[in-house]
Amino acid sequence: MLCYGVRLFSTKLRTVFFKLVPLGMAYIGIYLTNSNSKKKTGIFIRLVDKSKTLKYYTDLKIHPSEWSKKDKKVLKKNPHYSVYNKNIDYLKNRIWEIYIELSNNNQFPTTEYIKDQLEVKENVKTKSTEFWDIWNEFLEYKKSTIKKNSIKKIISTQNHLSSFATQKNIKLDLEKFNKVFFEKFEQYLSDEVELKISSYGRYLKALKSFLNWASSNDYLENTNHNQFKVKQAPEGVKVILTKDELNQLRKTTFKENYLSKAKDLFLISCLTALRFSDYSKINKTHIHNANGINYLNIRQTKTSEFISIPLNEESHSLIQKLITNEVASISNQKMNKYIKEVCKRANIDTPVTKEIFKGNFQTSIQVPKYELITSHTGRRTFATNLLLQGVPAETVMKFTGHKDYSSFAKYVNIPKDIEMKTVLKALNF
């Protein structure tokens, strides 16, 4: 009987065979089918014992540039490197175990025998572990391609999905994410978690995005999840501040410093159309002057494109306060909370009809306007008031950063009475 010495090394993720030192000079290694290939090539495992050789060709394929010849593993430049390396380690270690078992009876495994043994092992693997491994790969991949806020949405989806599976005693299986599953998950988010369509719709879309990614990366064959259509939340009321309301806001003073700062930040948005993520990072390098005109030149966080916005005396003064830290930036969550109180104190309380959608049910309630005001209301106010002053939509869009009118229209809320007066005036020709 042959005797073998095995040296191991450990990583945080796994323990793998680093060097096998059998007395009979047997060894196992990982190789690319064609290391000089210009496109993806296969990965195979070779087991050698004296004059006997076995080659096991895996289903894994990568580009040679993503392979470390030294370490015999997939490099991090491949977005799925962790799953690849876990599979490779499992196959290599399992084949070596099979070899040791047979060598005790002076036998050498065949490729067919290896396949049979691996299939037996695969049948006892838990689907739930596979699901979350693949989900984590998806999350790691997304971290390098999307912004932080979008990552938070994926993590929230993960938390809701995990809670749903636990409460309903469901074992998550990629191949069972069909229309029925989505309907049950939707009902759970709506009825038990009590989320609105606008909230749970984002999580359902994130889950579909994951499944589409899994399908495109050969982790999923079943695409029945595409039969489920995520409900779209109807357009809610888009409040803006009129010129009179802006003047009310300007005249209102506050003893509380945090409310004064929230007021100034909101006015900056109303006068520049900047998003919270943009005006919260303004510094002196963003301020310029050309031909006596002060303007702000800043790269937008959402679009990554530069935008230049002229500054009047008021907006220039407010931004100077921001630069000198007289007005300090706050979190968007606090801003949305404080600006409601600011507008309430300024008596911006015109009754507004608010529609609430939950599942298939709709209700309408009357609320004072200040309850619907957020940091984003500033952009809507900027766009709407410029249009009312006769500035062409194409010009306004240059300063809001919109590239098509359909997207821009979502920010505009011209009061109906003004629209009617405008049309009546135009009809009197």
Side-chain angles (χ1 to χ4, degrees):
M1 181 174 73
L2 296 175
C3 295
Y4 295 84
V6 180
R7 270 197 289 159
L8 305 175
F9 81 95
S10 297
T11 69
K12 292 180 180 179
L13 295 176
R14 58 194 182 275
T15 300
V16 300
F17 290 102
F18 174 70
K19 190 174 182 182
L20 304 169
V21 194
L23 298 182
M25 297 305 292
Y27 66 89
I28 190 169
I30 314 295
Y31 306 91
L32 297 184
T33 303
N34 183 359
S35 59
N36 297 318
S37 176
K38 301 288 186 182
K39 52 186 180 180
K40 288 186 177 182
T41 187
I43 299 174
F44 73 93
I45 299 171
R46 185 172 67 180
L47 173 67
V48 177
D49 179 10
K50 297 180 180 179
S51 61
K52 300 175 182 178
T53 301
L54 175 142
K55 288 185 178 181
Y56 176 80
Y57 290 88
T58 72
D59 295 328
L60 306 174
K61 290 186 178 182
I62 62 164
H63 193 279
S65 64
E66 300 170 342
W67 179 254
S68 170
K69 292 182 179 179
K70 178 182 177 181
D71 299 323
K72 303 294 185 184
K73 66 179 183 180
V74 180
L75 298 171
K76 288 186 177 181
K77 64 171 64 177
N78 184 300
H80 320 301
Y81 76 95
S82 179
V83 167
Y84 274 111
N85 288 329
K86 285 179 182 178
N87 286 335
I88 291 170
D89 289 340
Y90 162 70
L91 291 171
K92 183 177 69 172
N93 294 342
R94 181 62 185 136
I95 290 173
W96 184 257
E97 290 173 358
I98 294 169
Y99 165 72
I100 293 295
E101 291 169 3
L102 291 181
S103 66
N104 290 331
N105 296 317
N106 294 320
Q107 294 178 314
F108 188 78
T110 63
T111 302
E112 290 72 20
Y113 184 80
I114 292 291
K115 287 181 178 179
D116 289 341
Q117 292 300 305
L118 290 176
E119 286 179 3
V120 170
K121 186 70 175 179
E122 285 294 319
N123 289 335
V124 299
K125 290 172 69 176
T126 60
K127 286 290 186 180
S128 58
T129 301
E130 289 182 3
F131 174 83
W132 289 117
D133 280 347
I134 296 172
W135 178 277
N136 289 333
E137 281 301 310
F138 169 71
L139 182 58
E140 289 300 315
Y141 168 68
K142 284 295 185 180
K143 283 180 179 178
S144 64
T145 61
I146 61 178
K147 298 185 185 298
K148 188 176 180 179
N149 286 339
S150 297
I151 291 297
K152 289 181 179 178
K153 179 177 67 177
I154 294 176
I155 293 174
S156 295
T157 305
Q158 172 182 313
N159 293 336
H160 285 304
L161 188 59
S162 178
S163 297
F164 171 69
T166 301
Q167 290 187 30
K168 304 300 180 182
N169 195 27
I170 294 174
K171 184 178 288 186
L172 297 178
D173 185 336
L174 272 179
E175 297 297 335
K176 293 182 180 179
F177 278 79
N178 52 25
K179 184 179 179 182
V180 173
F181 179 92
F182 268 88
E183 289 172 346
K184 290 181 179 179
F185 187 39
E186 178 185 41
Q187 186 176 16
Y188 165 79
L189 294 173
S190 174
D191 297 346
E192 298 185 38
V193 187
E194 297 186 340
L195 297 178
K196 299 175 184 177
I197 292 178
S198 56
S199 295
Y200 72 69
R202 292 196 296 266
Y203 302 140
L204 294 172
K205 287 180 180 178
L207 179 55
K208 289 192 73 173
S209 176
F210 160 70
L211 294 170
N212 290 333
W213 173 88
S215 177
S216 65
N217 287 278
D218 298 326
Y219 291 128
L220 174 65
E221 294 182 4
N222 172 24
T223 58
N224 291 338
H225 63 275
N226 288 324
Q227 295 176 8
F228 177 82
K229 305 299 180 184
V230 179
K231 294 185 179 74
Q232 297 293 323
E235 280 287 331
V237 61
K238 299 173 290 189
V239 299
I240 60 109
L241 267 64
T242 64
K243 290 175 64 176
D244 289 341
E245 288 171 333
L246 279 173
N247 286 330
Q248 285 177 228
L249 184 62
R250 291 184 177 102
K251 294 175 183 177
T252 306
T253 58
F254 305 92
K255 294 180 180 179
E256 301 92 339
N257 193 39
Y258 70 94
L259 292 180
S260 295
K261 290 179 179 179
K263 166 190 166 182
D264 288 344
L265 290 172
F266 183 71
L267 285 173
I268 288 175
S269 181
C270 292
L271 296 170
T272 63
L274 289 176
R275 298 177 179 86
F276 175 87
S277 59
D278 295 327
Y279 64 71
S280 61
K281 68 179 182 182
I282 293 175
N283 59 55
K284 62 182 180 180
T285 65
H286 296 128
I287 307 300
H288 303 271
N289 183 285
N291 301 320
I293 299 176
N294 292 314
Y295 68 95
L296 186 71
N297 188 53
I298 191 169
R299 187 187 293 277
Q300 294 179 307
T301 301
K302 184 174 182 178
T303 64
S304 297
E305 294 186 1
F306 276 103
I307 189 168
S308 295
I309 302 169
L311 302 174
N312 64 12
E313 185 176 339
E314 181 183 11
S315 58
H316 185 261
S317 174
L318 289 169
I319 286 176
Q320 289 299 327
K321 291 170 69 174
L322 186 63
I323 292 173
T324 58
N325 212 34
E326 185 178 345
V327 175
S329 181
I330 56 179
S331 70
N332 195 27
Q333 184 178 15
K334 288 183 178 179
M335 179 64 182
N336 287 330
K337 178 182 178 181
Y338 296 161
I339 197 57
K340 288 177 173 57
E341 179 63 23
V342 167
C343 291
K344 180 180 181 180
R345 300 262 195 104
N347 297 318
I348 301 173
D349 52 10
T350 303
V352 178
T353 300
K354 177 184 178 182
E355 294 180 322
I356 301 175
F357 297 89
K358 183 180 176 184
N360 295 319
F361 299 97
Q362 172 187 348
T363 57
S364 297
I365 59 173
Q366 288 276 324
V367 297
K369 180 185 279 191
Y370 63 79
E371 286 192 11
L372 302 180
I373 293 175
T374 68
S375 61
H376 217 59
T377 305
R379 279 172 60 77
R380 301 184 191 280
T381 298
F382 175 94
T384 302
N385 285 333
L386 283 188
L387 290 175
L388 290 173
Q389 292 295 318
V391 180
E394 293 79 6
T395 301
V396 180
M397 287 166 59
K398 292 179 181 179
F399 298 104
T400 59
H402 290 95
K403 296 193 177 297
D404 61 86
Y405 186 79
S406 61
S407 297
F408 170 71
K410 296 177 181 179
Y411 284 82
V412 178
N413 183 22
I414 298 177
K416 287 186 177 180
D417 60 333
I418 295 179
E419 287 181 330
M420 289 182 180
K421 289 177 182 178
T422 302
V423 172
L424 283 174
K425 183 178 179 181
L427 289 172
N428 292 324
F429 50 81

